[in-house]
Amino acid sequence: MESVRAVLIDIDGVLTVSWQPLPGAVEALREIRASGLGVALVTNTTSRTRASIAATLGEAGFPVDAEDILTAPAVTAAYLADRYPGARCSLLNSGDIAEDLAGITLLDDGDSDTDSSTDSSTDSSTDSDDDSHADTVPDVVVVGGAGPEFDYAALNRAFGHLQRGARLIAMHRNLYWRTDRGLQLDSGAFLLGLERAARTEAEITGKPAPAFFETALARLGVGPGEALMVGDDIESDVLAAQRTGITGVLVKTGKYLPESHRAASAEPDHVLDSFADLPALLRSAAPR
């Protein structure tokens, strides 16, 4: 802790719930900024772009801008460009994140073959039609965050693409998240079904993927031993960060559940009631 130079912070459930600041969070982040520590907001949020998140947080008083924010969609775009350059992608996501997926070829639902049960007896396409159609079949199915768009038709369409050989990329495996109406189901629950049905395994780009944390550290110019991660998800936020050498801090807000804490695969380095308590923890560990 004495060597900490930067703080990685989850947003939803740590700083805000339903984009409303949690008590003391604004003041705590201001104090951390004033201390000279580097700050990166690392989030699996897939419903908004970095610019939109920064604007919303700024209006609430948080001292952040878009450059401070690392989202699962932004990391996914870099991952696709590196691993699947030029791939045609079918995106299943709630919210408009096209801005953070710049450079990625996204197919409209209407552009791709979405009916996996087409009767072959009615297929009168020519070879040239087949060649043209091949350009509109996705190479990759990208799964973001859940919402009303995750209906039967959309999930079955994704299942059809996977059966035809498309790769499955998921921005996260979160089963649920906390809102002002309580816990809400997230895309991880649907992802498990797609994996089982299509007999495949998703490549995860957001938390808890090690590359996500490594990208944040590289942006801040610090090593794992010089950073701590604050999150409300004990597995995806805290323990995942600890496995990369980052100090983990679990807060009892957001999606935190005592039963999840008890059943976790390991113990966090630190547990706080809320993000508002973080400056005191940092002060207690500072060299005298």
Side-chain angles (χ1 to χ4, degrees), residues 58-81:
E59 290 170 2
F62 289 103
V64 299
D65 57 38
E67 294 303 312
D68 297 319
I69 300 170
L70 184 64
T71 66
V75 172
T76 300
Y79 183 91
L80 288 167

Side-chain angles (χ1 to χ4, degrees), residues 80-279:
L80 288 167
D82 179 57
R83 303 292 182 88
Y84 302 99
R88 301 177 299 273
C89 300
S90 174
L91 175 65
L92 178 55
N93 181 68
S94 185
D96 184 6
I97 55 173
E99 179 182 321
D100 282 350
L101 293 175
I104 303 303
T105 302
L106 298 176
L107 302 180
D108 291 334
D109 288 342
D111 289 342
S112 57
D113 180 5
T114 60
D115 186 359
S116 61
S117 60
T118 301
D119 186 347
S120 60
S121 65
T122 63
D123 184 4
S124 59
S125 61
T126 64
D127 290 342
S128 61
D129 290 335
D130 290 339
D131 291 341
S132 175
H133 176 70
D135 291 335
T136 61
V137 175
D139 305 300
V140 177
V141 171
V142 180
V143 177
E149 295 83 356
F150 280 61
D151 57 15
Y152 177 81
L155 290 165
N156 194 49
R157 181 163 54 246
F159 175 51
H161 296 328
L162 296 174
Q163 289 184 89
R164 288 187 289 273
R167 303 299 293 265
L168 179 58
I169 306 294
M171 297 185 190
H172 59 73
R173 286 191 177 277
N174 295 351
L175 297 173
Y176 51 83
W177 78 99
R178 173 77 65 181
T179 73
D180 53 10
R181 293 174 295 171
L183 296 178
Q184 302 289 310
L185 200 63
D186 208 344
S187 55
F190 302 102
L191 183 64
L192 290 170
L194 285 173
E195 289 178 314
R196 288 288 299 276
R199 295 183 177 86
T200 189
E201 184 173 351
E203 300 169 45
I204 308 300
T205 54
K207 296 176 294 183
F212 188 95
F213 297 104
E214 292 163 2
T215 299
L217 294 175
R219 285 193 175 194
L220 293 169
V222 300
E226 299 173 304
L228 61 80
M229 170 69 206
V230 188
D232 65 327
D233 187 315
I234 189 169
E235 295 289 348
S236 294
D237 290 340
V238 180
L239 299 184
Q242 289 179 194
R243 286 192 289 271
T244 68
I246 299 170
T247 298
V249 180
L250 177 66
V251 292
K252 295 182 177 181
T253 52
K255 68 170 66 173
Y256 174 86
L257 294 172
E259 53 267 38
S260 298
H261 188 174
R262 289 191 296 268
S265 58
E267 186 65 22
D269 293 315
H270 303 275
V271 180
L272 302 176
D273 286 335
S274 74
F275 183 76
D277 299 322
L278 184 63

